[in-house]
Amino acid sequence: MFIRRQVIVLSLLLALAGMALFSYKAFELGLPLKENTDSRVWTVEARLGFVGTGGPAKAQMRLPQQPPGLGILNENFISRGFGLSTQEYDNRERLAFWSLRRARGPQAVYYRLSVFKEAVDASRAQTPAFPPIPKLEEPYSTALEDLVSDARERSADIASFTSEMLRHINNPTQEENVQLFLGADNSTIAKAKVTQTLLAGARIPTRIANGMELRDEPHVATIRPWLEVHNGQRWLSFDVESGVQFEADRHLVWFYGDKDFVSVSGGRNVETEIFLRKEMIDSIAVAEQRAINVGSHAVEFSLFSLPIRTQAVYGVLLMIPIGALVMVLMRNVIGVPTFGTFTPILVALAFRETQLLYGIILFSFVVALGLLVRFYFEKLRLLLVPRLAAVLTVVVLLLVGISIMSNRLDLETGLSVALFPMVILTMVIERMSIVWEERGSGAAMSEGFGSLVVATMAYLVMSIDQLQYLLFAFPELLLIVLGLCLLLGRYTGFRASELIRFRSFGDSKA
């Protein structure tokens, strides 16, 4: 009883471990469940150009820092002749600095970034602290109180409060209180900063995001600011000019704040250009980069890191346990008799090259001829080992003969008969002849037919492309196969064939 429980617990632990690792790689790292699955990747190229005045020149560009909802696949800097350095500030701001001792004439530096959609946006789930109420002098303090009070009266929640406040800011007639804050600056960034101040009067967390929409078609993009407001649960995005709330799921946040995107010293005629295009990239590459981003080593030890030739070998080897599981089910649960334990699996592997129908025909033909020769050798009263060597030689000669005849008849399928495991064929012939002599032709034919049935079933299961890919991408699934084999190893009940065989006994007893 103790051993039985131990096997059950061990099997469950193996299955749980396999499922846990499989779920982590599939749903957390995003390793695709289907082969040749592509992921959408957006590549953004920013060009900073200016005209050097002949002296030292410095250029600065703000860079994306962990953009919400997106992962960075790769990024490149193209700046021939320039010195380059990047700096991060408080893990919130990242800048690139280019420098050149003597910059004369047109100059240009490039920054290229590829991003992909993350399944989970952890950054947007972070709750910020409530901002302090701004301490303003009169008449700004009274104006802020009036605007906040009016927006509060006309709103029901933080989203409608923000929309009402933006409506005040963008009122064409511009109220006196709004004009007091805006002054002569009606730019979008100025409106966003004023809205931030007014919302801080209601202690609503806000931030100014700068970025672009990720469209599917290639286009020239521009970095525009929008306002993000936290409602206690998540960040809400608002268009500053229209006051309309929108979902920023398909937006790339380049940076936060109200500072300039680029700045250049020692140059004039500064201009920036951003081009964006969408690409379809293998999901496995995206999953590998996602694993790097989260510090996971799960993908580093995957079979995809092996050389291509080795990958092909393991693509076959990983299916052998599946064939063995089929073998266990057919023998221990259904009760199909076979020659040997692994013979059907090896024959099934040979079927992968010969195809099923031709494989069965060739296998039956070689075994039948070999069996005839084996019966003749029996009359010669040979010792066991020399007899096996003689049968093996005959099998090889048969394979050679079939291959030559197939080549003469332009039958390419016949050439693949050489892929049959010769030693296994020899042992099948020897075992079949012994069973024939000891238990009769019926038992020998039954086990021979059973071996072909099991080999066929194993071939059909092992040929499922989706199963092959899953085992290659998630080899931990073999832990589940191992658990099933252990459970079946403790199965002592009736086989299906035995239930059919003794059915009449049960009927008579009833």
Side-chain angles (χ1 to χ4, degrees), residues 40 42 68-70 117 124 211-217 219 224 226 246-253 276 278:
R40 286 188 300 180
W42 288 271
L70 298 171
K117 192 71 177 171
R124 290 183 180 275
M212 65 199 71
E213 183 180 3
L214 298 174
R215 303 176 188 170
D216 290 340
E217 68 278 5
H219 66 282
R224 69 178 183 87
W226 67 83
F246 65 96
E247 294 294 334
D249 293 345
R250 292 197 58 177
H251 284 67
L252 166 62
V253 177
L276 187 149
K278 187 192 75 173

Side-chain angles (χ1 to χ4, degrees), residues 14-29 31 296-299 473-477 479:
L14 288 171
L16 287 175
M19 284 303 300
L21 193 53
F22 166 77
S23 301
Y24 174 72
K25 291 170 67 176
F27 304 114
E28 289 295 326
L29 300 182
L31 206 62
S296 173
H297 300 283
V299 181
F474 307 95
E476 56 274 6
L477 291 176
L479 293 176

Side-chain angles (χ1 to χ4, degrees), residues 269-300:
N269 298 337
V270 178
E271 59 180 13
T272 59
E273 185 178 17
I274 299 175
F275 187 77
L276 187 149
R277 73 174 186 274
K278 187 192 75 173
E279 298 174 298
M280 300 302 291
I281 293 182
D282 188 4
S283 296
I284 295 175
V286 175
E288 290 175 345
Q289 186 58 43
R290 184 179 287 120
I292 295 174
N293 293 345
V294 300
S296 173
H297 300 283
V299 181
E300 293 180 19

Side-chain angles (χ1 to χ4, degrees), residues 159-228:
S160 57
F161 182 89
T162 304
S163 296
E164 185 62 24
M165 192 63 76
L166 285 171
R167 187 187 66 78
H168 280 292
I169 297 294
N170 290 293
N171 188 348
T173 59
Q174 289 207 345
E175 305 166 15
E176 292 181 354
N177 290 335
V178 174
Q179 288 181 349
L180 181 64
F181 280 99
L182 281 178
D185 190 355
N186 282 320
S187 65
T188 302
I189 195 67
K191 292 178 180 178
K193 292 167 63 177
V194 170
T195 307
Q196 265 194 306
T197 303
L198 297 177
L199 293 180
R203 302 208 65 188
I204 298 175
T206 61
R207 62 185 181 186
I208 298 175
N210 299 268
M212 65 199 71
E213 183 180 3
L214 298 174
R215 303 176 188 170
D216 290 340
E217 68 278 5
H219 66 282
V220 176
T222 56
I223 291 182
R224 69 178 183 87
W226 67 83
L227 187 68
E228 291 191 348

